[in-house]
Amino acid sequence: EAELAAIVVPCTFVWGAGDTDVPFDVAQRASQLLTGASVVREIPDCGHLVPRDNAAALVDAVEELL
């Protein structure tokens, strides 16, 4: 938790809503621990491997940051 609190740059978590390996609440908790601004973007109909399961949604999430 201290390592996450040391992050002071903006971060975006892109997370598969159906991730059973690392549940969505882990992303939410990590986001709360960051000192910098953070966003959690949940991708519906997607598991742990967002790039494989829904590459288009990942591209959309990244493009919104640019």
Side-chain angles (χ1 to χ4, degrees):
E1 291 183 359
E3 291 173 345
L4 288 173
I7 298 172
V8 296
V9 297
C11 297
T12 298
F13 294 85
V14 180
W15 220 267
D19 189 340
T20 56
D21 294 322
V22 184
F24 183 68
D25 64 323
V26 172
Q28 292 173 312
R29 176 70 179 138
S31 175
Q32 293 168 353
L33 293 170
L34 295 175
T35 302
S38 64
V39 173
V40 180
R41 171 100 182 250
E42 187 176 24
I43 306 298
D45 302 319
C46 189
H48 183 70
L49 299 173
V50 175
R52 182 196 69 195
D53 295 346
N54 195 338
L58 177 60
V59 169
D60 290 344
V62 171
E63 285 180 342
E64 286 179 13
L65 300 171
L66 302 177

